[in-house]
Amino acid sequence: MSAALLPPPGSDSTSTLDRFRGALATFIREQFPFLTFAGAYEYVVVSQAGQTLSLAATDPTLGLPALGGKVPIRMAAGIQPTLPPGSKCIVQFVNGRPSRPIVIAADEQVTPTKVQVNAIAVELGAVVTGYVALAAKVDANFTTLFNNLTSWTPVSNDGGAALKAVLTNPLLGGYLATGVKQLTAAATVKAQ
Amino acid sequence: MTTPTPFAALAGLPILKADIHIPYYGLWTASVHLYQSAPIPPGPIPLTLGSLSLVGTVVRAASFAGGTSALVVGGSGGWRKVVTPRYYEAPSGIPVAMLLSDMANEAVEPTPVVGPTIAPVYGQYFARENARASRVLAQVVGPAWWVQNTGVVFCGPRTPAAIASPFVLRHFSGADGRIVVASEFLGDWVPGNTFLGPTLDAPRTIASLRHVLEGASVRTEVFLQAS
């Protein structure tokens, strides 16, 4: 039930045209002081600090204030978006109390600046087959390999033994030696 | 020679008829008819009925046929005003006193007295809506608030007391849970108080009441709390 069903005092012309109707509406409103906070309301992002937002109301006729402080973002567990100013979001009040505003959703038509996912495991795709590779670790392996290949001094007629020694000797930074080659898998993200 | 103080008066103006309703929680109201057609002073004014003395404000009045009738509410008449939307936020919690003070200032009412049952600190946030001050007051302190005789709101339950002054029980409707009494000590008859008379089998508690002045008599109609 939204506040629109019981408009704020002064906004309902029937309250002044019909005294008894107005008195009844007032009486009902007074019996349910938290009714307004049972609704979901559209706000606009003014700024973001961490996982809190400063918000402006989109419909001033609803009688709700701008939430100009740090309203917590409480979307799905582990989802921490960064929303650009001007994007719309939905505010609800936990347990219908004005003391507990939270942002429960953002406009799907706005591309978040960033979405951080915090979870022990993140799986992308219907049937995951393994962890995704991390670019930094892949780059480090390629750099090591590149350095070994470019710093290698060829030895005539050794059948490639000098190259093999460079690539396998850990003391020489050997790329193929166990413990030198870096694992590239992410710790939490798997993909199909 | 001094003018005698009238038994019932609104801002010193003699009252012909009055019907004062005092609920358990919320604002008391009074429908008052004056003997004369006279302007009633604005702002908080005294309403007296025998030993009962209240402070209220006229919210509606008109003169007709040589008399004036008025609707009076407890306090300064501000709790029916609409306050502006406002947002509060404090990491350590918002002082209730601050919320009430801001609200009362905007409603032009004295700052309410906060009883010991109300937590002094509200939550970390408070979204004050554009609504009647009385509604927002209930959001902050709950439904347990009422207007003291001084016109200042008290936030918290009423403190019950046993009525020790004499009274005459004139009518008792068990079906309605309602009695009618006559008393010279009207100030003792307030919601929450208990009373016991020779014709009552057990103490009763006042839920709400009406003091009705008609002609030369005052009767107090008491609605009893459910037992």
Side-chain angles (χ1 to χ4, degrees):
Chain A
M1 184 180 290
S2 74
L5 293 178
L6 288 171
S11 65
D12 181 6
S13 61
T14 60
S15 297
T16 52
L17 295 175
D18 185 334
R19 278 181 52 195
F20 298 105
R21 182 189 173 101
L24 179 61
T26 300
F27 176 79
I28 293 173
R29 283 185 64 83
E30 296 298 311
Q31 297 307 304
F32 303 98
F34 296 104
L35 180 64
T36 300
F37 301 98
Y41 298 97
E42 185 182 70
Y43 275 78
V44 170
V45 175
V46 176
S47 62
Q48 180 165 355
Q51 282 303 292
T52 64
L53 295 172
S54 176
L55 303 165
T58 59
D59 186 352
T61 66
L62 293 176
L64 287 170
L67 303 177
K70 295 182 177 179
V71 180
I73 299 173
R74 296 287 184 268
M75 297 186 183
I79 302 296
Q80 297 186 346
T82 300
L83 302 172
S87 58
K88 293 178 180 176
C89 61
I90 302 298
V91 170
Q92 279 194 334
F93 295 85
V94 177
N95 294 340
R97 290 296 182 267
S99 58
R100 299 189 63 188
I102 58 170
V103 177
I104 61 160
D107 189 344
E108 78 282 1
Q109 295 182 350
V110 170
T111 302
T113 308
K114 182 180 74 174
V115 175
Q116 185 173 338
V117 181
N118 288 335
I120 295 172
V122 176
E123 297 185 352
L124 305 174
V127 181
V128 297
T129 55
Y131 287 103
V132 299
L134 296 175
K137 292 185 176 181
V138 173
D139 288 348
N141 280 337
F142 274 114
T143 300
T144 302
L145 180 60
F146 174 79
N147 289 339
N148 287 350
L149 291 175
T150 54
S151 62
W152 163 59
T153 303
V155 177
S156 301
N157 299 321
D158 72 343
L163 175 60
K164 183 179 179 181
V166 168
L167 293 176
T168 59
N169 190 338
L171 297 177
L172 300 176
Y175 174 73
L176 298 178
T178 301
V180 174
K181 182 180 71 172
Q182 293 191 52
L183 298 176
T184 61
T188 59
V189 182
K190 290 181 177 178
Q192 187 172 14
Chain B
M1 182 176 174
T2 58
T3 304
T5 303
F7 175 77
L10 178 63
L13 302 169
I15 293 175
L16 173 64
K17 290 195 303 181
D19 187 342
I20 303 171
H21 176 231
I22 304 178
Y24 199 92
Y25 289 138
L27 297 164
W28 61 261
T29 58
S31 176
V32 175
H33 296 256
L34 305 179
Y35 275 104
Q36 60 202 90
S37 176
I40 303 173
I45 51 176
L47 170 62
T48 56
L49 183 63
S51 63
L52 176 65
S53 180
L54 305 169
V55 174
T57 298
V58 173
V59 295
R60 188 167 60 222
S63 294
F64 178 72
T68 300
S69 59
L71 175 65
V72 185
V73 299
S76 300
W79 296 111
R80 62 208 312 274
K81 294 178 180 173
V82 175
V83 295
T84 56
R86 186 169 174 180
Y87 183 58
Y88 295 82
E89 184 178 301
S92 57
I94 308 159
V96 166
M98 183 175 74
L99 295 177
L100 297 181
S101 174
D102 288 354
M103 196 189 318
N105 285 338
E106 199 165 322
V108 196
E109 281 279 354
T111 300
V113 175
V114 180
T117 61
I118 306 294
V121 176
Y122 198 71
Q124 187 176 343
Y125 311 94
F126 180 64
R128 192 177 80 181
E129 66 169 318
N130 182 220
R132 285 180 187 267
S134 58
R135 175 180 169 86
V136 179
L137 180 61
Q139 292 168 359
V140 175
V141 301
W145 62 269
W146 48 282
V147 182
Q148 302 173 107
N149 289 4
T150 58
V152 179
V153 161
F154 183 89
C155 302
R158 291 177 180 268
T159 303
I163 297 175
S165 55
F167 65 93
V168 175
L169 181 60
R170 295 194 177 282
H171 177 73
F172 190 164
S173 170
D176 298 339
R178 180 177 62 90
I179 67 163
V180 177
V181 299
S183 170
E184 296 291 327
F185 305 91
L186 297 179
D188 291 347
W189 291 82
V190 293
N193 280 2
T194 59
F195 59 95
L196 178 63
T199 56
L200 292 172
D201 56 352
R204 308 288 172 151
T205 304
I206 303 170
S208 64
L209 59 87
R210 292 170 63 205
H211 296 301
V212 180
L213 168 68
E214 281 181 315
S217 70
V218 177
R219 61 183 167 84
T220 298
E221 188 177 11
V222 175
F223 297 90
L224 305 174
Q225 282 191 353
S227 54

